[in-house]
Amino acid sequence: MGFFDSEIIQQEAKQLFEDYQALIKLGNNYGKFDRDGKKLFIEKMEAMMDRYRIFMKRFELSEDFMAQMTVEQLKTQLGQFGVTPQQMFDQMHLTLERMKAELEKQV
């Protein structure tokens, strides 16, 4: 069975995508959130990035040809912007840390 034939992988990918889209939509109103709302949003984004990192690691560790092609496509797409997958995760982490620091100033 191929990597993408797994019902678990398909469901997880679908859920990850839907959760990410919902968070991005919610994030459009970030400036209107109160302090607790901003803190909760940051926590949800951190959890989302952890889930995404784990999901991508599964692709990297899989011997399935299509999974490996997916990893290579991501690397190519990010490479067009001069970024590696690890740099993408690092940048997102840095952004979330800045958001947390900004929140601490609002005490």
Side-chain angles (χ1 to χ4, degrees):
M1 175 166 70
F3 189 80
F4 291 103
D5 294 330
S6 166
E7 196 172 314
I8 293 170
I9 294 295
Q10 290 176 17
Q11 182 59 35
E12 191 170 338
K14 181 179 182 279
Q15 193 63 56
L16 192 60
F17 179 76
E18 288 173 358
D19 292 349
Y20 179 75
Q21 292 297 327
L23 265 177
I24 293 302
K25 187 176 179 180
L26 184 64
N28 289 332
N29 294 313
Y30 181 82
K32 298 176 186 175
F33 297 166
D34 65 9
R35 188 172 192 285
D36 289 336
K38 288 178 180 180
K39 186 176 179 182
L40 183 59
F41 179 81
I42 292 168
E43 289 170 1
K44 295 283 186 188
M45 280 301 293
E46 287 175 326
M48 173 63 61
M49 294 311 296
D50 287 343
R51 285 174 55 202
Y52 187 63
R53 184 177 289 124
I54 291 167
F55 194 71
M56 288 308 300
K57 187 54 80 175
R58 284 180 163 167
F59 279 86
E60 292 172 13
L61 295 175
S62 174
E63 294 178 9
D64 182 80
F65 176 75
M66 290 306 294
Q68 289 301 311
M69 287 300 298
T70 301
V71 170
E72 289 306 313
Q73 285 177 334
L74 177 64
K75 287 179 181 177
T76 299
Q77 289 171 347
L78 291 173
Q80 292 174 347
F81 298 101
V83 178
T84 67
Q86 185 59 50
Q87 288 171 323
M88 176 190 72
F89 285 115
D90 291 346
Q91 185 60 46
M92 192 61 193
H93 175 74
L94 185 61
T95 298
L96 292 170
E97 289 300 316
R98 283 186 195 140
M99 290 168 76
K100 282 195 259 186
E102 220 22 67
L103 261 184
E104 293 305 314
K105 291 179 185 176
Q106 294 178 5
V107 174

